[in-house]
Amino acid sequence: MGRLRDGQGTLIVRGERGEVSVPLEIAASYRARTHGLLGREAVHGAIMLSPAGSVHTFGMRIPIDVAYLDRRLNVIAVRTMKPGRLGLPRLRSRHVLEAEAGAMAGWGVRAGGTVEITAGTGAQGG
């Protein structure tokens, strides 16, 4: 996958529901990762924080789904977090996906699965 930059892309989930493509925002810079979903009322698609091993929901207005991914984009764990919580760090986590609560189950993202990322404008680095 290479090094990522802030930008747009697509999250691809293959599984029981077939292939699901989800709009993806990539937050790879320190500034973009620390801002994440803070202050948003809704999420269109998902956001990927990279690198990241844990997240918090302090300052968030909505509950979110969080998927922890290893460097090969294997899903380590998926959790739903209410606002004002601190997530436990995942030792093998290299990336974190965030989306509105319930979205990941609808897309078929689950522990033991694998996702793909297609980087769009400004998202691929080298």
Side-chain angles (χ1 to χ4, degrees):
M1 180 172 62
R3 188 171 175 210
L4 295 172
R5 293 188 187 155
D6 295 346
Q8 304 298 314
T10 304
L11 171 69
I12 301 167
V13 182
R14 290 187 179 93
E16 297 171 3
R17 294 168 177 80
E19 182 174 296
V20 178
S21 296
V22 178
L24 181 69
E25 180 181 337
I26 299 171
S29 69
Y30 176 78
R31 184 175 182 190
R33 287 191 322 266
T34 55
H35 188 263
L37 296 176
L38 294 176
R40 296 191 195 184
E41 296 288 338
V43 184
H44 178 67
I47 183 171
M48 184 167 102
L49 310 176
S50 179
S54 66
V55 295
H56 68 82
T57 57
F58 299 116
M60 291 195 186
R61 298 177 180 175
I62 59 173
I64 62 170
D65 282 347
V66 177
Y68 299 89
L69 310 175
D70 68 14
R71 68 181 57 233
R72 293 190 174 117
L73 302 181
N74 296 312
V75 181
I76 299 168
V78 179
R79 300 286 182 261
T80 299
M81 295 178 64
K82 295 178 182 177
R85 305 283 196 238
L86 179 62
L88 295 173
R90 302 292 170 164
L91 294 177
R92 294 182 300 123
S93 180
R94 174 76 175 148
H95 316 282
V96 174
L97 286 173
E98 296 179 342
E100 284 191 31
M104 291 197 194
W107 301 332
V109 176
R110 60 189 170 123
T114 302
V115 298
E116 292 179 32
I117 303 296
T118 302
T121 309
Q124 188 119 16

